[in-house]
C-alpha cells in the first residue's frame, strides 16, 4: 500500500489520505483502535473527524510541561528508534528508487532483517 502525496499537502490531509487507504484493507488490521500522533495532528476537528469517519482514536503525544532537553515521551521513542534503524540501510537513507512500491519493498526487507537480528 503506497500513498504518494505532493510536498504542498499538509500533514492532516496526508494523514486522512493514508487512513482512507488503510480503511480499504481494514481486515488486515483487526486490532487497530488507537493511533499515536504528534502535536502536528492535534486539531480537535481533525481528531473528531478521524474518530467519526474511521472509528479510530488518535492519541496526541505531547511533551511534559517545562521540558528542557531530551526527555523520552510515551511510545514516541518507538517510532524514532525505528527511523534510526532504517537509516543504517544505504538504500533507505537516500531515495534511489523510481517507483514508490520499490521503496516500500525495501522498507519491508529492512524490517525483516532488523527483526531477524533481534530473534537471533
Amino acid at each position: 500500500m503506497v500513498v504518494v502525496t505532493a510536498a504542498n499537502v499538509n500533514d492532516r490531509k496526508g494523514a486522512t489520505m493514508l487512513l482512507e487507504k488503510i480503511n480499504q484493507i481494514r481486515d488486515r488490521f483487526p486490532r487497530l483502535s488507537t493511533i499515536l500522533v504528534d502535536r502536528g495532528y492535534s486539531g480537535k476537528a481533525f481528531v473528531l473527524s478521524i474518530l467519526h469517519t474511521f472509528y479510530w482514536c488518535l492519541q496526541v503525544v505531547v511533551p511534559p510541561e517545562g521540558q528542557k532537553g531530551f526527555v523520552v515521551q510515551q511510545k514516541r521513542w518507538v517510532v524514532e528508534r525505528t527511523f534510526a534503524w532504517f537509516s543504517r540501510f544505504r538504500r533507505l537513507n537516500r531515495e534511489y528508487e523510481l517507483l514508490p512500491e520499490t521503496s516500500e519493498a525495501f522498507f519491508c526487507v529492512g524490517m525483516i532483517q532488523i527483526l531477524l537480528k533481534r530473534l537471533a
Side-chain angles (χ1 to χ4, degrees), residues 36 45 56 67 85 87 96 104 115-116:
L36 299 170
W56 290 320
Q67 171 185 335
W85 286 343
S87 70
Y96 294 111
E104 181 182 15
L115 292 176
L116 284 174

Side-chain angles (χ1 to χ4, degrees), residues 14-27:
T16 304
M17 293 167 57
L18 175 67
L19 293 175
E20 286 170 357
K21 290 282 190 181
I22 291 175
N23 196 36
Q24 293 171 3
I25 55 171
R26 190 179 202 129
D27 56 331

Side-chain angles (χ1 to χ4, degrees), residues 53-65:
T53 305
F54 305 111
Y55 305 106
W56 290 320
C57 177
L58 290 183
Q59 182 180 347
V60 180
V61 180
V62 294
E65 293 287 325

Side-chain angles (χ1 to χ4, degrees), residues 2 4 89-110:
V2 177
V4 180
F89 296 94
R90 183 180 61 83
R91 299 254 342 219
L92 300 178
N93 225 358
R94 298 280 185 268
E95 189 60 44
Y96 294 111
E97 314 307 329
L98 296 177
L99 299 174
E101 291 85 0
T102 309
S103 292
E104 181 182 15
F106 275 108
F107 274 101
C108 290
V109 169

Side-chain angles (χ1 to χ4, degrees), residues 37-104:
V37 296
D38 65 7
R39 288 185 290 181
Y41 303 94
S42 63
K44 185 176 181 179
F46 175 71
V47 171
L48 289 176
S49 72
I50 297 301
L51 179 64
H52 293 306
T53 305
F54 305 111
Y55 305 106
W56 290 320
C57 177
L58 290 183
Q59 182 180 347
V60 180
V61 180
V62 294
E65 293 287 325
Q67 171 185 335
K68 291 184 181 180
F70 176 76
V71 176
V72 175
Q73 296 177 13
Q74 175 191 8
K75 300 286 186 181
R76 185 164 179 179
W77 65 272
V78 174
V79 175
E80 302 296 334
R81 179 193 64 198
T82 305
F83 286 150
W85 286 343
F86 282 141
S87 70
R88 295 180 188 160
F89 296 94
R90 183 180 61 83
R91 299 254 342 219
L92 300 178
N93 225 358
R94 298 280 185 268
E95 189 60 44
Y96 294 111
E97 314 307 329
L98 296 177
L99 299 174
E101 291 85 0
T102 309
S103 292
E104 181 182 15

